[in-house]
Amino acid sequence: MPAACPASAPELFTWEFATDPYPAYAWLREHSPVHRTALPSGVEAWLVTRYADARQALADTRLSKNPAHHAEPAHARGKTGIPGERKAELMTHLLNIDPPDHTRLRRLVSKAFTPRRVAEFAPRVQELTDRLIDRFAAEGRADLIHDFAFPLPIYAICDLLGVPREDQDDFRDWAGMMIRHGGGPRGGVARSVKKMRGYLAELIHRKREELREDGSDDLISGLIRASDHGEHLTENEAAAMAFILLFAGFETTVNLIGNGVYALLRNPAERARLQRSLDAGDSGLLETGIEELLRYDGPVELATWRFATEPLTLGGRDIETGDPVLVVLAAADRDPARFDDPDTLDLARRDNQHLGYGHGIHYCLGAPLARLEGRTALATLLTRLPDLRLAGEPADLRWRGGLIMRGLRTLPVEFTPRPGAPGTDAASTL
C-alpha cells in the first residue's frame, strides 16, 4: 500500500473540481503523480497524471481493458464502464477487449474512418453544420450545446452507421439521457442503453434481410457482411460495436466543440487570430488550433478503465493485480515537463503530441471524423457569427460531473441576428 499523501492533497470530484480540475491535477503531478483514490462510485483506482507515465500506461499490455480482470469488491460490482452495458449484453466492444479480439473487431470498423471515407463525408458534415446554424441564426442567441454541439455529431454518426433518418431523433433522445445523467443516477443511462440495444438488434435484423437488395455501404451493413463472410462477428458483437461507435462518437465531439468554443471566447486574442486566418482563406491555424484545443481542455478527461493483469510499478508506485488504473489525459496534456507554458492556449503550437485521443492500440478510431466535425463547426461558427460572445458570466456555467468526459452542460451565447436559410424552421429535417 502506498504511503499516505500529505494532508494538503486537494479534494477531487466535487462540483468545484469539475469547474476547474487543473490546479488539483498540477498538485498531483508534483506530489503524487500515480495517486490512489476513492472515486464517487466507491471504487478505488489509481490516477496517472504525468505525461511520461500516461504514455507508458496507455501502451502497457499488462493493463487490460477487459473488466473481467478487475478484482472488484462486492460494493464496487458493476460500477465500472458504461452503466447498463452488462445487462444489455453490450460488453464486447473496443473499449472492453484486448487482442486478439480487439485487433479483429478494430480491423472490421477501421475502413469506415479512413482518410478517404472521412473526406467523402465532409460535405454532409458541412450541410448539417449550416442547417443547425440556420435554425438559430436569426434569433441572436442560442445554447451552443443543445442547439449545435450536441445534434451535429449525433446526426453525423447516425448517418455513418446507417440509422434511417426517421429514427435518428430517437437516438438523439437516448444520447441526451446519457449526457444529462453523466454525473447523476446511473438508472437513467441504463434505461437508455437498454432501449438503444433493443433498437440496434431490430435494425441489424432488418438490414440483414435487406442487404442483398439495397447494397448499402453504411457501417452496420459492413459489420453484417463481415459476419456473413467468415469474420465470425456475433450479433452481440455487431450490436456492441454499433453502440460504442455511437456512444463514443458523439459525446467526444460534443465536448470538443463546446469546450473549444468556450476556450476561444475566454481567450479573445487567440480567437481574433483564428478569425483573421479564416478570413484570409488560410486553414493552417485551424489545423493546429484543433490540436491545441484538444490539448488545452479536451473532451476526454480520463481515459477509459484499465485493469492490472499482474503486479507492476508505475511512476514509482506498486500496482497490484486487479487494480483499476485511470490515465488522466487532462493532467498529462498540461504537464510542464512535456509542454512549454502548458496553461496557455496557443493555437499555433507545433510540438503538440497531446494524448487527447489516447495512445497505442486503443487510440480513438473515430478521431479523424471528430477532427473534421470540430474544424467544420468552429470555422463555420466564426465565419457566419463573427461577433459570437458569451451570454452571462463564466462563473454561472456548469460542467457535467461524469468521470470520463469533460464538457459543459450549457453554453449560452449571443450574436447579431442573421437570417438563416430560406424556409428554415425548427421542424425542418436534417
mmCIF file with all atom_site columns, all heavy atoms in Angstrom, residues 112-128:
data_model
loop_
_atom_site.group_PDB
_atom_site.id
_atom_site.type_symbol
_atom_site.label_atom_id
_atom_site.label_alt_id
_atom_site.label_comp_id
_atom_site.label_asym_id
_atom_site.label_entity_id
_atom_site.label_seq_id
_atom_site.pdbx_PDB_ins_code
_atom_site.Cartn_x
_atom_site.Cartn_y
_atom_site.Cartn_z
_atom_site.occupancy
_atom_site.B_iso_or_equiv
_atom_site.pdbx_formal_charge
_atom_site.auth_seq_id
_atom_site.auth_comp_id
_atom_site.auth_asym_id
_atom_site.auth_atom_id
_atom_site.pdbx_PDB_model_num
ATOM 1   N N   . ALA A 1 112 ? -14.269 2.401  -42.056 1.00 0.00 ? 112 ALA A N   1
ATOM 2   C CA  . ALA A 1 112 ? -15.240 3.497  -42.044 1.00 0.00 ? 112 ALA A CA  1
ATOM 3   C C   . ALA A 1 112 ? -14.590 4.826  -41.689 1.00 0.00 ? 112 ALA A C   1
ATOM 4   O O   . ALA A 1 112 ? -15.198 5.883  -41.898 1.00 0.00 ? 112 ALA A O   1
ATOM 5   C CB  . ALA A 1 112 ? -16.366 3.194  -41.069 1.00 0.00 ? 112 ALA A CB  1
ATOM 6   N N   . PHE A 1 113 ? -13.354 4.789  -41.158 1.00 0.00 ? 113 PHE A N   1
ATOM 7   C CA  . PHE A 1 113 ? -12.717 6.018  -40.687 1.00 0.00 ? 113 PHE A CA  1
ATOM 8   C C   . PHE A 1 113 ? -11.398 6.286  -41.400 1.00 0.00 ? 113 PHE A C   1
ATOM 9   O O   . PHE A 1 113 ? -10.537 6.992  -40.879 1.00 0.00 ? 113 PHE A O   1
ATOM 10  C CB  . PHE A 1 113 ? -12.501 5.933  -39.173 1.00 0.00 ? 113 PHE A CB  1
ATOM 11  C CG  . PHE A 1 113 ? -13.779 5.792  -38.399 1.00 0.00 ? 113 PHE A CG  1
ATOM 12  C CD1 . PHE A 1 113 ? -14.184 4.557  -37.920 1.00 0.00 ? 113 PHE A CD1 1
ATOM 13  C CD2 . PHE A 1 113 ? -14.600 6.878  -38.178 1.00 0.00 ? 113 PHE A CD2 1
ATOM 14  C CE1 . PHE A 1 113 ? -15.373 4.410  -37.224 1.00 0.00 ? 113 PHE A CE1 1
ATOM 15  C CE2 . PHE A 1 113 ? -15.798 6.749  -37.482 1.00 0.00 ? 113 PHE A CE2 1
ATOM 16  C CZ  . PHE A 1 113 ? -16.178 5.504  -37.008 1.00 0.00 ? 113 PHE A CZ  1
ATOM 17  N N   . THR A 1 114 ? -11.233 5.729  -42.583 1.00 0.00 ? 114 THR A N   1
ATOM 18  C CA  . THR A 1 114 ? -10.043 6.045  -43.372 1.00 0.00 ? 114 THR A CA  1
ATOM 19  C C   . THR A 1 114 ? -10.102 7.505  -43.821 1.00 0.00 ? 114 THR A C   1
ATOM 20  O O   . THR A 1 114 ? -11.181 8.101  -43.906 1.00 0.00 ? 114 THR A O   1
ATOM 21  C CB  . THR A 1 114 ? -9.960  5.147  -44.616 1.00 0.00 ? 114 THR A CB  1
ATOM 22  O OG1 . THR A 1 114 ? -11.101 5.405  -45.448 1.00 0.00 ? 114 THR A OG1 1
ATOM 23  C CG2 . THR A 1 114 ? -9.911  3.672  -44.233 1.00 0.00 ? 114 THR A CG2 1
ATOM 24  N N   . PRO A 1 115 ? -8.948  8.095  -44.112 1.00 0.00 ? 115 PRO A N   1
ATOM 25  C CA  . PRO A 1 115 ? -8.972  9.487  -44.606 1.00 0.00 ? 115 PRO A CA  1
ATOM 26  C C   . PRO A 1 115 ? -9.887  9.671  -45.813 1.00 0.00 ? 115 PRO A C   1
ATOM 27  O O   . PRO A 1 115 ? -10.572 10.699 -45.926 1.00 0.00 ? 115 PRO A O   1
ATOM 28  C CB  . PRO A 1 115 ? -7.502  9.745  -44.960 1.00 0.00 ? 115 PRO A CB  1
ATOM 29  C CG  . PRO A 1 115 ? -6.737  8.835  -44.042 1.00 0.00 ? 115 PRO A CG  1
ATOM 30  C CD  . PRO A 1 115 ? -7.569  7.605  -43.904 1.00 0.00 ? 115 PRO A CD  1
ATOM 31  N N   . ARG A 1 116 ? -9.928  8.682  -46.702 1.00 0.00 ? 116 ARG A N   1
ATOM 32  C CA  . ARG A 1 116 ? -10.787 8.814  -47.885 1.00 0.00 ? 116 ARG A CA  1
ATOM 33  C C   . ARG A 1 116 ? -12.255 8.844  -47.496 1.00 0.00 ? 116 ARG A C   1
ATOM 34  O O   . ARG A 1 116 ? -13.024 9.699  -47.976 1.00 0.00 ? 116 ARG A O   1
ATOM 35  C CB  . ARG A 1 116 ? -10.530 7.650  -48.851 1.00 0.00 ? 116 ARG A CB  1
ATOM 36  C CG  . ARG A 1 116 ? -11.387 7.711  -50.125 1.00 0.00 ? 116 ARG A CG  1
ATOM 37  C CD  . ARG A 1 116 ? -11.166 6.500  -51.011 1.00 0.00 ? 116 ARG A CD  1
ATOM 38  N NE  . ARG A 1 116 ? -11.583 5.267  -50.366 1.00 0.00 ? 116 ARG A NE  1
ATOM 39  C CZ  . ARG A 1 116 ? -12.855 4.834  -50.328 1.00 0.00 ? 116 ARG A CZ  1
ATOM 40  N NH1 . ARG A 1 116 ? -13.819 5.565  -50.891 1.00 0.00 ? 116 ARG A NH1 1
ATOM 41  N NH2 . ARG A 1 116 ? -13.161 3.702  -49.738 1.00 0.00 ? 116 ARG A NH2 1
ATOM 42  N N   . ARG A 1 117 ? -12.684 7.908  -46.612 1.00 0.00 ? 117 ARG A N   1
ATOM 43  C CA  . ARG A 1 117 ? -14.090 7.880  -46.215 1.00 0.00 ? 117 ARG A CA  1
ATOM 44  C C   . ARG A 1 117 ? -14.486 9.147  -45.468 1.00 0.00 ? 117 ARG A C   1
ATOM 45  O O   . ARG A 1 117 ? -15.575 9.688  -45.666 1.00 0.00 ? 117 ARG A O   1
ATOM 46  C CB  . ARG A 1 117 ? -14.384 6.660  -45.327 1.00 0.00 ? 117 ARG A CB  1
ATOM 47  C CG  . ARG A 1 117 ? -14.639 5.363  -46.049 1.00 0.00 ? 117 ARG A CG  1
ATOM 48  C CD  . ARG A 1 117 ? -15.873 5.406  -46.933 1.00 0.00 ? 117 ARG A CD  1
ATOM 49  N NE  . ARG A 1 117 ? -17.125 5.482  -46.201 1.00 0.00 ? 117 ARG A NE  1
ATOM 50  C CZ  . ARG A 1 117 ? -17.809 4.433  -45.783 1.00 0.00 ? 117 ARG A CZ  1
ATOM 51  N NH1 . ARG A 1 117 ? -17.364 3.212  -45.991 1.00 0.00 ? 117 ARG A NH1 1
ATOM 52  N NH2 . ARG A 1 117 ? -18.960 4.586  -45.152 1.00 0.00 ? 117 ARG A NH2 1
ATOM 53  N N   . VAL A 1 118 ? -13.609 9.617  -44.595 1.00 0.00 ? 118 VAL A N   1
ATOM 54  C CA  . VAL A 1 118 ? -13.899 10.842 -43.845 1.00 0.00 ? 118 VAL A CA  1
ATOM 55  C C   . VAL A 1 118 ? -14.000 12.027 -44.796 1.00 0.00 ? 118 VAL A C   1
ATOM 56  O O   . VAL A 1 118 ? -14.906 12.868 -44.677 1.00 0.00 ? 118 VAL A O   1
ATOM 57  C CB  . VAL A 1 118 ? -12.837 11.077 -42.757 1.00 0.00 ? 118 VAL A CB  1
ATOM 58  C CG1 . VAL A 1 118 ? -13.012 12.459 -42.127 1.00 0.00 ? 118 VAL A CG1 1
ATOM 59  C CG2 . VAL A 1 118 ? -12.928 9.994  -41.679 1.00 0.00 ? 118 VAL A CG2 1
ATOM 60  N N   . ALA A 1 119 ? -13.095 12.115 -45.765 1.00 0.00 ? 119 ALA A N   1
ATOM 61  C CA  . ALA A 1 119 ? -13.147 13.218 -46.741 1.00 0.00 ? 119 ALA A CA  1
ATOM 62  C C   . ALA A 1 119 ? -14.451 13.166 -47.543 1.00 0.00 ? 119 ALA A C   1
ATOM 63  O O   . ALA A 1 119 ? -15.043 14.216 -47.838 1.00 0.00 ? 119 ALA A O   1
ATOM 64  C CB  . ALA A 1 119 ? -11.948 13.138 -47.676 1.00 0.00 ? 119 ALA A CB  1
ATOM 65  N N   . GLU A 1 120 ? -14.903 11.964 -47.899 1.00 0.00 ? 120 GLU A N   1
ATOM 66  C CA  . GLU A 1 120 ? -16.160 11.822 -48.633 1.00 0.00 ? 120 GLU A CA  1
ATOM 67  C C   . GLU A 1 120 ? -17.346 12.285 -47.804 1.00 0.00 ? 120 GLU A C   1
ATOM 68  O O   . GLU A 1 120 ? -18.374 12.710 -48.338 1.00 0.00 ? 120 GLU A O   1
ATOM 69  C CB  . GLU A 1 120 ? -16.360 10.364 -49.051 1.00 0.00 ? 120 GLU A CB  1
ATOM 70  C CG  . GLU A 1 120 ? -15.394 9.892  -50.132 1.00 0.00 ? 120 GLU A CG  1
ATOM 71  C CD  . GLU A 1 120 ? -15.516 8.400  -50.392 1.00 0.00 ? 120 GLU A CD  1
ATOM 72  O OE1 . GLU A 1 120 ? -16.208 7.707  -49.596 1.00 0.00 ? 120 GLU A OE1 1
ATOM 73  O OE2 . GLU A 1 120 ? -14.913 7.926  -51.373 1.00 0.00 ? 120 GLU A OE2 1
ATOM 74  N N   . PHE A 1 121 ? -17.215 12.204 -46.474 1.00 0.00 ? 121 PHE A N   1
ATOM 75  C CA  . PHE A 1 121 ? -18.302 12.565 -45.560 1.00 0.00 ? 121 PHE A CA  1
ATOM 76  C C   . PHE A 1 121 ? -18.326 14.067 -45.267 1.00 0.00 ? 121 PHE A C   1
ATOM 77  O O   . PHE A 1 121 ? -19.288 14.582 -44.707 1.00 0.00 ? 121 PHE A O   1
ATOM 78  C CB  . PHE A 1 121 ? -18.139 11.767 -44.269 1.00 0.00 ? 121 PHE A CB  1
ATOM 79  C CG  . PHE A 1 121 ? -19.398 11.644 -43.458 1.00 0.00 ? 121 PHE A CG  1
ATOM 80  C CD1 . PHE A 1 121 ? -20.561 11.137 -44.010 1.00 0.00 ? 121 PHE A CD1 1
ATOM 81  C CD2 . PHE A 1 121 ? -19.422 12.021 -42.121 1.00 0.00 ? 121 PHE A CD2 1
ATOM 82  C CE1 . PHE A 1 121 ? -21.723 11.009 -43.264 1.00 0.00 ? 121 PHE A CE1 1
ATOM 83  C CE2 . PHE A 1 121 ? -20.571 11.898 -41.361 1.00 0.00 ? 121 PHE A CE2 1
ATOM 84  C CZ  . PHE A 1 121 ? -21.725 11.390 -41.944 1.00 0.00 ? 121 PHE A CZ  1
ATOM 85  N N   . ALA A 1 122 ? -17.278 14.788 -45.655 1.00 0.00 ? 122 ALA A N   1
ATOM 86  C CA  . ALA A 1 122 ? -17.150 16.209 -45.321 1.00 0.00 ? 122 ALA A CA  1
ATOM 87  C C   . ALA A 1 122 ? -18.329 17.054 -45.807 1.00 0.00 ? 122 ALA A C   1
ATOM 88  O O   . ALA A 1 122 ? -18.813 17.922 -45.054 1.00 0.00 ? 122 ALA A O   1
ATOM 89  C CB  . ALA A 1 122 ? -15.834 16.765 -45.856 1.00 0.00 ? 122 ALA A CB  1
ATOM 90  N N   . PRO A 1 123 ? -18.834 16.860 -47.042 1.00 0.00 ? 123 PRO A N   1
ATOM 91  C CA  . PRO A 1 123 ? -19.982 17.686 -47.459 1.00 0.00 ? 123 PRO A CA  1
ATOM 92  C C   . PRO A 1 123 ? -21.207 17.502 -46.571 1.00 0.00 ? 123 PRO A C   1
ATOM 93  O O   . PRO A 1 123 ? -21.941 18.471 -46.317 1.00 0.00 ? 123 PRO A O   1
ATOM 94  C CB  . PRO A 1 123 ? -20.247 17.206 -48.890 1.00 0.00 ? 123 PRO A CB  1
ATOM 95  C CG  . PRO A 1 123 ? -18.946 16.672 -49.366 1.00 0.00 ? 123 PRO A CG  1
ATOM 96  C CD  . PRO A 1 123 ? -18.320 16.042 -48.150 1.00 0.00 ? 123 PRO A CD  1
ATOM 97  N N   . ARG A 1 124 ? -21.457 16.270 -46.110 1.00 0.00 ? 124 ARG A N   1
ATOM 98  C CA  . ARG A 1 124 ? -22.607 16.041 -45.217 1.00 0.00 ? 124 ARG A CA  1
ATOM 99  C C   . ARG A 1 124 ? -22.404 16.757 -43.880 1.00 0.00 ? 124 ARG A C   1
ATOM 100 O O   . ARG A 1 124 ? -23.348 17.345 -43.338 1.00 0.00 ? 124 ARG A O   1
ATOM 101 C CB  . ARG A 1 124 ? -22.813 14.541 -45.005 1.00 0.00 ? 124 ARG A CB  1
ATOM 102 C CG  . ARG A 1 124 ? -23.903 14.178 -44.007 1.00 0.00 ? 124 ARG A CG  1
ATOM 103 C CD  . ARG A 1 124 ? -25.260 14.731 -44.381 1.00 0.00 ? 124 ARG A CD  1
ATOM 104 N NE  . ARG A 1 124 ? -26.295 14.280 -43.449 1.00 0.00 ? 124 ARG A NE  1
ATOM 105 C CZ  . ARG A 1 124 ? -27.475 14.871 -43.311 1.00 0.00 ? 124 ARG A CZ  1
ATOM 106 N NH1 . ARG A 1 124 ? -27.784 15.943 -44.042 1.00 0.00 ? 124 ARG A NH1 1
ATOM 107 N NH2 . ARG A 1 124 ? -28.364 14.411 -42.450 1.00 0.00 ? 124 ARG A NH2 1
ATOM 108 N N   . VAL A 1 125 ? -21.187 16.723 -43.347 1.00 0.00 ? 125 VAL A N   1
ATOM 109 C CA  . VAL A 1 125 ? -20.909 17.429 -42.091 1.00 0.00 ? 125 VAL A CA  1
ATOM 110 C C   . VAL A 1 125 ? -21.123 18.928 -42.274 1.00 0.00 ? 125 VAL A C   1
ATOM 111 O O   . VAL A 1 125 ? -21.706 19.597 -41.408 1.00 0.00 ? 125 VAL A O   1
ATOM 112 C CB  . VAL A 1 125 ? -19.480 17.129 -41.607 1.00 0.00 ? 125 VAL A CB  1
ATOM 113 C CG1 . VAL A 1 125 ? -19.122 17.992 -40.395 1.00 0.00 ? 125 VAL A CG1 1
ATOM 114 C CG2 . VAL A 1 125 ? -19.335 15.653 -41.250 1.00 0.00 ? 125 VAL A CG2 1
ATOM 115 N N   . GLN A 1 126 ? -20.669 19.485 -43.398 1.00 0.00 ? 126 GLN A N   1
ATOM 116 C CA  . GLN A 1 126 ? -20.881 20.912 -43.663 1.00 0.00 ? 126 GLN A CA  1
ATOM 117 C C   . GLN A 1 126 ? -22.363 21.220 -43.791 1.00 0.00 ? 126 GLN A C   1
ATOM 118 O O   . GLN A 1 126 ? -22.845 22.246 -43.284 1.00 0.00 ? 126 GLN A O   1
ATOM 119 C CB  . GLN A 1 126 ? -20.136 21.324 -44.929 1.00 0.00 ? 126 GLN A CB  1
ATOM 120 C CG  . GLN A 1 126 ? -20.198 22.819 -45.216 1.00 0.00 ? 126 GLN A CG  1
ATOM 121 C CD  . GLN A 1 126 ? -19.478 23.637 -44.171 1.00 0.00 ? 126 GLN A CD  1
ATOM 122 O OE1 . GLN A 1 126 ? -18.261 23.520 -44.008 1.00 0.00 ? 126 GLN A OE1 1
ATOM 123 N NE2 . GLN A 1 126 ? -20.210 24.487 -43.446 1.00 0.00 ? 126 GLN A NE2 1
ATOM 124 N N   . GLU A 1 127 ? -23.107 20.362 -44.475 1.00 0.00 ? 127 GLU A N   1
ATOM 125 C CA  . GLU A 1 127 ? -24.553 20.560 -44.625 1.00 0.00 ? 127 GLU A CA  1
ATOM 126 C C   . GLU A 1 127 ? -25.254 20.565 -43.268 1.00 0.00 ? 127 GLU A C   1
ATOM 127 O O   . GLU A 1 127 ? -26.080 21.440 -42.979 1.00 0.00 ? 127 GLU A O   1
ATOM 128 C CB  . GLU A 1 127 ? -25.133 19.460 -45.513 1.00 0.00 ? 127 GLU A CB  1
ATOM 129 C CG  . GLU A 1 127 ? -26.644 19.538 -45.691 1.00 0.00 ? 127 GLU A CG  1
ATOM 130 C CD  . GLU A 1 127 ? -27.216 18.322 -46.409 1.00 0.00 ? 127 GLU A CD  1
ATOM 131 O OE1 . GLU A 1 127 ? -26.560 17.256 -46.443 1.00 0.00 ? 127 GLU A OE1 1
ATOM 132 O OE2 . GLU A 1 127 ? -28.344 18.435 -46.922 1.00 0.00 ? 127 GLU A OE2 1
ATOM 133 N N   . LEU A 1 128 ? -24.924 19.593 -42.416 1.00 0.00 ? 128 LEU A N   1
ATOM 134 C CA  . LEU A 1 128 ? -25.521 19.544 -41.079 1.00 0.00 ? 128 LEU A CA  1
ATOM 135 C C   . LEU A 1 128 ? -25.169 20.799 -40.288 1.00 0.00 ? 128 LEU A C   1
ATOM 136 O O   . LEU A 1 128 ? -26.019 21.386 -39.611 1.00 0.00 ? 128 LEU A O   1
ATOM 137 C CB  . LEU A 1 128 ? -25.031 18.302 -40.331 1.00 0.00 ? 128 LEU A CB  1
ATOM 138 C CG  . LEU A 1 128 ? -25.611 16.960 -40.753 1.00 0.00 ? 128 LEU A CG  1
ATOM 139 C CD1 . LEU A 1 128 ? -24.823 15.813 -40.104 1.00 0.00 ? 128 LEU A CD1 1
ATOM 140 C CD2 . LEU A 1 128 ? -27.083 16.857 -40.360 1.00 0.00 ? 128 LEU A CD2 1
#
